[in-house]
Every structure is written in C-alpha cells, then in structure tokens.
Amino acid sequence: MIASSIWKDGLLFEGRSESGHSITFDATSEHAAGPSPMEMVLAALCGCTSVDVVNILKKKREPITGLTVSANAEQPAEAPRVFTKIHLVYRIEGGVSQKAAEDAVALSKEKYCSVSLMLEKSVEIDYAIEIAG
C-alpha cells in the first residue's frame, strides 16, 4: 500500500492514496479546510468497523436498516497527543437482535477490523451498542 502527503500551504497538506483519492488535512487549530490527521484516524476506525458490522449482520440475515458508529477519544493536552482511550458507540437500526449485534461488533473488534487491531496495540478501545427500532 502506498500513500503520500504533499504540503500545500501554511499548515494544509494533501493526502493521496494509492487508489487515487485525496483529502486535505488541516493542521491548524480551526480545521476549517479539512480534518486533522488524528481526526482521520478516528474516522478510519469508524469506517473500518462499520463495514465489518454491516457485512456480518447481512450475512446473518439480520434486518439492519442503518448504522452509525461514533468515536470519542481522549488525548493529553501536550505533545505527543496520542489517543489514550477511545470509546465507540454503535447505533444499529432495524430489527437486529441484541445477540447478533454484540457478536458482530465483537468479531469486528477482535478479528476483522485492521484499524482497531492496530490501534489496540497502544490504546484502550471500548464500546457500547444501541439498538434502535
């Protein structure tokens, strides 16, 4: 896998992926032109586990109609501002059983989500599951 970061101006950088996509990273305190790199780490975690959970629930023929995964991370005030704890909330919509939801989230966290598995080497990640509808 190949990725790059190109300095644009001030504290703005363009991240480019091997697949040809790009995103502007804004390292200013306002983040007006794009997310910070650390915000993107959280977004990557949410995206990775979302894909897993939806795929697992669909394979189990659970009637999932929606999923939102949100992350809240703790960081020290001083550098290095690495995450010290991440709390994920899975809000699953549809008539999904609690057991199926718990199994899907556990499988993602423990086996399939590469981002989660990588981050857990240095930060505690916990989660809550909310079933709606």
Side-chain angles (χ1 to χ4, degrees):
M1 183 174 295
I2 299 171
S4 63
S5 177
I6 301 163
W7 178 49
K8 292 170 70 172
D9 181 40
L11 290 174
L12 298 180
F13 302 83
E14 182 179 317
R16 293 185 184 166
S17 68
E18 182 177 25
S19 59
H21 296 71
S22 63
I23 186 166
T24 297
F25 292 104
D26 185 343
T28 67
S29 59
E30 297 84 25
H31 307 299
S36 73
M38 291 301 278
E39 288 173 322
M40 284 306 302
V41 169
L42 285 182
L45 173 59
C46 291
C48 182
T49 190
S50 294
V51 169
D52 294 338
V53 170
V54 167
N55 283 332
I56 292 165
L57 290 173
K58 284 186 172 192
K59 285 180 183 174
K60 290 184 172 203
R61 300 182 193 266
E62 289 286 331
I64 184 169
T65 59
L67 173 66
T68 302
V69 179
S70 55
N72 184 9
E74 297 175 11
Q75 297 175 277
E78 301 297 319
R81 298 203 59 226
V82 298
F83 296 133
T84 55
K85 183 172 183 182
I86 299 172
H87 179 71
L88 298 173
V89 176
Y90 294 79
R91 187 170 195 284
I92 302 171
E93 297 177 24
V96 174
S97 76
Q98 184 72 34
K99 171 122 175 55
E102 290 171 1
D103 290 348
V105 170
L107 276 170
S108 175
K109 185 177 190 297
E110 297 165 11
K111 185 174 182 179
Y112 294 114
C113 179
S114 302
V115 177
S116 179
L117 291 165
M118 181 176 61
L119 288 173
E120 279 195 321
K121 293 181 186 293
S122 62
V123 62
E124 175 189 348
I125 301 174
D126 66 9
Y127 62 87
I129 300 171
E130 300 172 358
I131 306 287

